[in-house]
Amino acid sequence: MHRKFMILTAAALVLGMSVSMAFALGGGNGRKGKFLYSKNCRSCHNGGTAADLSPADRTQAEWQATFSDMGKIKCSGDWTLSDEDINDIYTYLYDYAKDSPSPAKCS
C-alpha cells in the first residue's frame, strides 16, 4: 500500500511539473509579448544600461534554457510582471528566435 502511494505521488508530481512547464514555456501570446518586451525590457536592453537584445540574438533552444531557469536572468528579481506576462514575452522571443521560421530584430 505504501509503495503504491509513493508511485502515485511521484506520478502526480511529474505530471504537475510537466503541466506547469508547458504553461511556463509556451502557449503564450507572442503579439502581447512583443508589446510587453518593448515596454518593459527594451528600456534597459538598448545597448546602454544592458546589452542590446533582440529575439534573433538566440536560438529557440537558448531562449527555452534561459526561461526554464529564471535565475539565469539577472534582472528577473526586479520584475513586477505576472507569470502570464513573462510567458507572453518568452513566446515572442521564442517565436522570433534566430532559428525560427521568422527571425526578428527589435527596432
Side-chain angles (χ1 to χ4, degrees):
M1 182 78 168
H2 181 66
R3 183 173 181 197
K4 194 177 203 180
F5 176 76
M6 295 284 287
I7 291 171
L8 288 174
T9 301
L13 285 172
V14 169
L15 178 62
M17 288 172 55
S18 298
V19 170
S20 65
M21 189 66 125
F23 171 76
L25 297 177
N29 182 333
R31 188 172 179 179
K32 182 180 170 195
K34 181 178 181 178
F35 169 79
L36 291 168
Y37 180 82
S38 295
K39 179 181 173 190
N40 297 287
C41 306
R42 287 297 292 170
S43 61
C44 292
H45 287 284
N46 57 12
T49 307
D52 192 21
L53 188 63
S54 75
D57 288 340
R58 297 183 181 174
T59 64
Q60 290 178 325
E62 290 170 327
W63 284 121
Q64 186 174 16
T66 298
F67 277 80
S68 67
D69 181 0
M70 296 298 284
K72 293 179 183 177
I73 303 173
K74 293 177 186 175
C75 59
S76 65
D78 299 332
W79 293 351
T80 57
L81 299 165
S82 69
D83 289 344
E84 181 181 341
D85 289 346
I86 293 168
N87 189 39
D88 291 339
I89 291 169
Y90 164 77
T91 300
Y92 163 63
L93 295 170
Y94 181 89
D95 287 352
Y96 295 98
K98 69 176 152 187
D99 62 342
S100 71
S102 304
K105 296 271 185 195
C106 292
S107 52

